[in-house]
């Protein structure tokens, strides 16, 4: 908060300033790089000293003074008030990103839980559902998939989609809008190989506890999973950006993310073909009169 000249420092602050000036230190000694400004008339915005950016002996607080603090842990990140503002904005941005990570973890985790339930129902015919769940449910498997959503998938989406919106804004008439939507979806899927490689690498590492087989698994698994990814997300996102109303878009994408979590879980456990076969059978039976 900017302090006007009408709000001077109290006597204790003045004594502190005098002591710091005696050894050639600026008013904001605790965070020196925050107190560096190109304009000498700009007042300190960090501590309530209300002083101009000069030490009391008249020496300007600038790059030469800042050099004395080059070993400060804050100097590399905070270069003056603009650096401080940037840090605050980055902190807010990270907070918003973390706020979005929990839903991603939850949706992918739900997908894994549903896939494990499907597998248990088909593999273990005897026993109650509760008994099968308590005996065969793999909590660590769900945690591996959920933490991928929290630490990797959600942050990637948080920073990637604003860039995509700036690159390809959805404006224009119907025909132009269609091509823009299609272009955005195709460009969006351009990062799918990297995203899938991160998924395979993350889950393999935490499953096996080492990096020994991570690269081998990525090389063999990503091409196969990429085909499924493109066949799934291209039509999903074409509908997202062209048909689904804005007020239903979050719900729609959330449901699609759960279904994608089921697909990822089935793929990682070697049950993808069984899952697709079950879906095909269900769709075929539902289409019968």
């Amino acid at each position: 908060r900017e302090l006007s000249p009408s709000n001077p420092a109290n006597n204790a602050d003045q004594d502190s300033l005098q002591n710091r000036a005696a050894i050639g230190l600026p008013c904001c000694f605790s965070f020196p790089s925050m107190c560096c400004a190109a304009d000498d008339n700009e007042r300190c915005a960090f501590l309530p000293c209300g002083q101009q950016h000069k030490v009391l002996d008249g020496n300007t607080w600038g790059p030469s003074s800042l050099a004395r603090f080059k070993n400060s842990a804050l100097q590399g990140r905070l270069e003056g008030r603009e650096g401080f503002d940037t840090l605050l904005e980055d902190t807010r941005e990270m907070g918003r990103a973390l706020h979005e990570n929990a839903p991603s973890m939850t949706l992918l985790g739900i997908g894994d839980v549903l896939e494990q339930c499907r597998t248990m129902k088909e593999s273990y015919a005897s026993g109650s559902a509760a008994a099968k769940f308590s005996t065969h449910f793999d909590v660590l498997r769900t945690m591996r998939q959920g933490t991928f959503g929290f630490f990797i998938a959600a942050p990637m989406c948080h920073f990637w989609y604003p860039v995509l919106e700036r690159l390809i804004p959805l404006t224009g008439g119907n025909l132009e809008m269609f091509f823009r939507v299609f272009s955005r979806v195709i460009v969006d899927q351009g990062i799918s190989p990297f995203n899938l490689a991160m998924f395979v690498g993350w889950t393999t590492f935490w499953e096996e506890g080492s990096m020994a087989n991570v690269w081998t698994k990525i090389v063999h698994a990503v091409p196969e999973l990429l085909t499924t990814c493109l066949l799934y997300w291209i039509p999903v996102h074409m509908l997202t950006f062209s048909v689904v109303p804005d007020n239903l878009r979050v719900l729609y994408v959330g449901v699609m993310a759960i279904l994608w979590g089921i697909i990822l879980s089935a793929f990682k456990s070697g049950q993808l073909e069984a899952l697709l076969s079950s879906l095909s059978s269900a769709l075929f039976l539902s289409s019968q009169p």
Side-chain angles (χ1 to χ4, degrees), residues 1 32 44 51 54 56 106 139 161 169 183 206 219 232 243 246 271 273 280 286:
R1 182 172 61 87
C44 175
Q51 299 295 311
K54 292 185 178 181
L56 297 184
T106 302
V139 178
Y161 281 113
S183 300
W206 290 111
V219 170
Y232 181 80
V243 176
D246 292 342
Q271 296 289 323
E273 291 186 4
S280 300
S286 63

Side-chain angles (χ1 to χ4, degrees), residues 37-57:
D39 184 2
D40 288 342
N41 294 322
E42 189 170 1
R43 295 185 178 275
C44 175
F46 187 75
L47 291 182
C49 58
Q51 299 295 311
Q52 292 181 341
H53 283 266
K54 292 185 178 181
V55 294
L56 297 184
D57 60 3

Side-chain angles (χ1 to χ4, degrees), residues 121-195:
K121 180 180 178 181
E122 295 183 354
S123 302
Y124 306 100
S126 60
S128 65
K132 289 188 288 186
F133 188 86
S134 61
T135 304
H136 303 287
F137 180 72
D138 189 347
V139 178
L140 294 179
R141 170 176 154 179
T142 301
M143 291 180 62
R144 287 192 293 268
Q145 182 158 310
T147 52
F148 166 77
F150 186 89
F151 290 108
I152 298 179
M156 285 180 60
C157 293
H158 176 83
F159 292 106
W160 164 243
Y161 281 113
V163 174
L164 187 62
E165 290 176 0
R166 289 194 295 269
L167 288 175
I168 311 175
L170 299 181
T171 58
N174 292 336
L175 184 60
E176 182 181 1
M177 177 69 75
F178 172 80
F179 282 110
R180 284 181 175 272
V181 169
F182 183 76
S183 300
R184 176 182 286 192
V185 172
I186 296 302
V187 172
D188 179 35
Q189 293 308 305
I191 68 169
S192 293
F194 176 76
N195 196 5

Side-chain angles (χ1 to χ4, degrees), residues 251-272:
L251 175 62
Y252 170 76
V253 173
V255 173
M256 295 300 105
I258 292 176
L259 295 178
W260 179 241
I262 294 175
I263 293 174
L264 288 178
S265 177
F267 177 84
K268 197 64 181 65
S269 61
Q271 296 289 323
L272 183 58

Side-chain angles (χ1 to χ4, degrees), residues 196-234:
L196 297 177
M198 293 296 291
F199 170 76
V200 174
W202 177 272
T203 53
T204 300
F205 173 77
W206 290 111
E207 183 177 359
E208 300 184 0
S210 70
M211 296 290 293
N213 297 321
V214 168
W215 179 248
T216 303
K217 291 287 184 67
I218 290 174
V219 170
H220 287 86
V222 169
E224 179 183 353
L225 186 56
L226 180 61
T227 302
T228 305
C229 176
L230 296 178
L231 291 175
Y232 181 80
W233 281 115
I234 288 179

